[in-house]
Amino acid sequence: MPPQTSLSARQLNRATLDRQLLLDRARLSATEGVRRVVAVQAQEAASPYIALWNRLAGFDPADLDAAFAEHRIVKAPLMRITLHAVHTDDYPAFHAAMQPTLRAARLNDRRFTGAGLSAADADALAGRLVEFTAQPRSAAECEQLVGHPRMWWALKTFAPLLHAPTGAPWSFDRQQSYIAAAGRPQSADLDQTARHLVRRYLEGFGPASAHDIAQFVLFPQSRTRAREVLESMAGTLERMQGPDGTGLFDVPDAPLPPEDTPAPPRLMAMWDSILLAYADRSRVIPPAYRPHVIRRNGDVLPTVLVDGYVAGVWRPTEGGIEATAFQPLSDKTWDGLAADARQLVALLTDREPQVYHRYARWWKTLPKAEVRLLPP
């Protein structure tokens, strides 16, 4: 069917902000917040907390602590072979859909094959590892069980293992522990789980193209696979057209706010999902700013969002939040950022005041820009 609706770049931006709860903070629990936004990047333990603080009214970090502890929200390698926090109901299908990618990324890697290991070795050990992690086990214990550091490196990525909470300040520390996922389907239909993943992606990030889906998920033969999954969902999705004529897909009756909908300023977490969920990252990041935000090694800095788009970066310093603006900002915008900074400082003070401090080197490479300490 031909597209029925043509959308502007700002309409796409506002759709993302709306579905990601960034137009207005929602009064939801941490568990329901994660369900609504579908997947929260979690490479840094603090990031899910800051991401939900941005999205939920009256966010209490203890609520997310409890959700992780009770496995209502789980953390594991999933989309793009990176750590995500997702709702426990989504995990079985997400993991089943992603397992071919996760498995191939490790078992075909020369760091694995060059160590004299094989896929058969990994498959023989996977079941034992799942049984062993019926209760939380440290990374060292798991590595000892499988007998080789590269084997453990592979299995911890694609076996059905969750990161087990280890405590303060952000539920997970660098001394990682693992526990087997509960409630896994014994023989998941790969096509069915892929459709579940694509539909959930569109619910949280749509409208989107096949290329966007391929970027978010990283299926094997990604774009071809994304198109196949979308074709198998024909009749259940709406078709639209982007500003450059690209075909877009969306779930029926999903909200599409007007392009002039106000978007408040935000101080976003490192690796926030909206920065990485699209092949066309200009939906949120102006192309000129992308090299300053997404570094060559894959680090994605904590950003300042103004009118729905990245306008700078931030980091905690003595006395508050240091905001670096890549463009002139109005006094009203600075006031809005200062109000957010007061809340963020309160959140960090009780947890980790110098969060993300180990990424400070990137600030030496930023362009000349206006820098302010918030709140003033």
Side-chain angles (χ1 to χ4, degrees):
M1 292 178 58
Q4 300 298 310
T5 304
S6 181
L7 301 176
S8 70
R10 283 185 65 86
Q11 282 178 300
L12 291 175
N13 172 272
R14 286 334 194 232
T16 295
L17 298 180
D18 184 48
R19 296 187 204 185
Q20 286 293 303
L21 308 179
L22 291 167
L23 292 177
D24 293 294
R25 286 181 166 98
R27 295 199 171 277
L28 297 172
S29 68
T31 301
E32 287 306 307
V34 173
R35 187 198 292 273
R36 280 281 296 275
V37 301
V38 180
V40 181
Q41 293 272 144
Q43 290 98 314
E44 279 292 315
S47 286
Y49 289 80
I50 298 172
L52 289 183
W53 163 76
N54 266 306
R55 291 161 165 85
L56 303 181
F59 171 67
D60 182 352
D63 186 18
L64 185 53
D65 291 340
F68 277 130
E70 297 165 11
H71 290 176
R72 289 180 276 120
I73 303 299
V74 297
K75 176 177 174 177
L78 289 167
M79 288 69 72
R80 298 186 306 286
I81 321 173
T82 56
L83 289 171
H84 282 78
V86 301
H87 194 282
T88 190
D89 290 349
D90 280 323
Y91 174 79
F94 282 10
H95 182 260
M98 287 306 306
Q99 192 177 44
T101 298
L102 299 171
R103 193 172 185 275
R106 294 299 181 254
L107 301 189
N108 296 336
D109 192 294
R110 282 184 289 182
R111 287 171 289 182
F112 181 82
T113 58
L117 303 170
S118 70
D121 297 329
D123 292 337
L125 287 166
R128 288 179 58 197
L129 181 61
V130 169
E131 291 177 4
F132 183 67
T133 53
Q135 62 184 28
R137 304 285 188 175
S138 70
E141 289 175 312
C142 293
E143 184 176 317
Q144 183 177 18
L145 176 77
V146 302
H148 194 287
R150 286 298 175 195
M151 179 62 74
W152 168 233
W153 171 77
L155 286 171
K156 73 178 180 180
T157 301
F158 75 83
L161 300 180
L162 309 175
H163 283 229
T166 50
W170 308 108
S171 289
F172 304 91
D173 60 28
R174 301 200 180 278
Q175 301 299 315
Q176 295 170 349
S177 292
Y178 298 82
I179 189 168
R184 295 179 294 113
Q186 294 300 310
S187 56
D189 181 306
L190 189 57
D191 290 333
Q192 182 177 351
T193 57
R195 286 192 291 270
H196 176 89
L197 176 53
V198 168
R199 180 171 291 278
R200 291 288 287 128
Y201 166 77
L202 292 173
E203 289 172 356
F205 297 96
S209 68
H211 194 182
D212 292 327
I213 294 166
Q215 162 66 31
F216 177 79
V217 175
L218 202 61
F219 285 132
Q221 298 180 324
S222 212
R223 291 196 210 181
T224 299
R225 178 61 174 151
R227 293 189 189 99
E228 290 172 351
V229 175
L230 287 166
E231 287 172 5
S232 75
M233 300 171 73
T236 68
L237 299 177
E238 293 186 358
R239 292 198 60 186
M240 304 176 184
Q241 184 173 283
D244 61 354
T246 298
L248 304 175
F249 300 84
D250 204 2
V251 292
D253 302 319
L256 290 171
E259 63 179 28
D260 60 354
T261 302
R266 292 279 187 257
L267 299 169
M268 307 295 288
M270 282 195 80
W271 284 286
D272 194 278
S273 295
I274 65 166
L275 306 179
L276 299 169
Y278 305 99
D280 180 6
R281 291 177 178 170
S282 67
R283 185 180 291 211
V284 177
I285 308 176
Y289 302 158
R290 180 172 170 173
H292 309 317
V293 172
I294 302 178
R295 311 307 300 203
R296 288 184 179 180
N297 72 336
D299 287 346
V300 181
L301 302 188
T303 54
V304 175
L305 215 63
V306 174
D307 190 31
Y309 295 90
V310 170
V313 295
W314 66 267
R315 62 175 175 171
T317 61
E318 289 293 331
I321 300 297
E322 180 188 283
T324 299
F326 301 147
Q327 64 194 46
L329 303 180
S330 69
D331 290 342
K332 181 179 179 181
T333 297
W334 280 116
D335 289 344
L337 290 170
D340 250 23
R342 290 186 186 93
Q343 296 181 41
L344 180 55
V345 167
L347 174 72
L348 298 179
T349 297
D350 291 339
R351 296 271 169 158
E352 186 183 4
Q354 296 302 308
V355 69
Y356 303 145
H357 64 90
R358 66 195 187 98
Y359 301 96
R361 67 188 183 279
W362 294 124
W363 269 256
K364 299 176 183 178
T365 67
L366 293 177
K368 185 178 180 181
E370 183 175 5
V371 179
R372 291 196 186 185
L373 182 64
L374 303 174

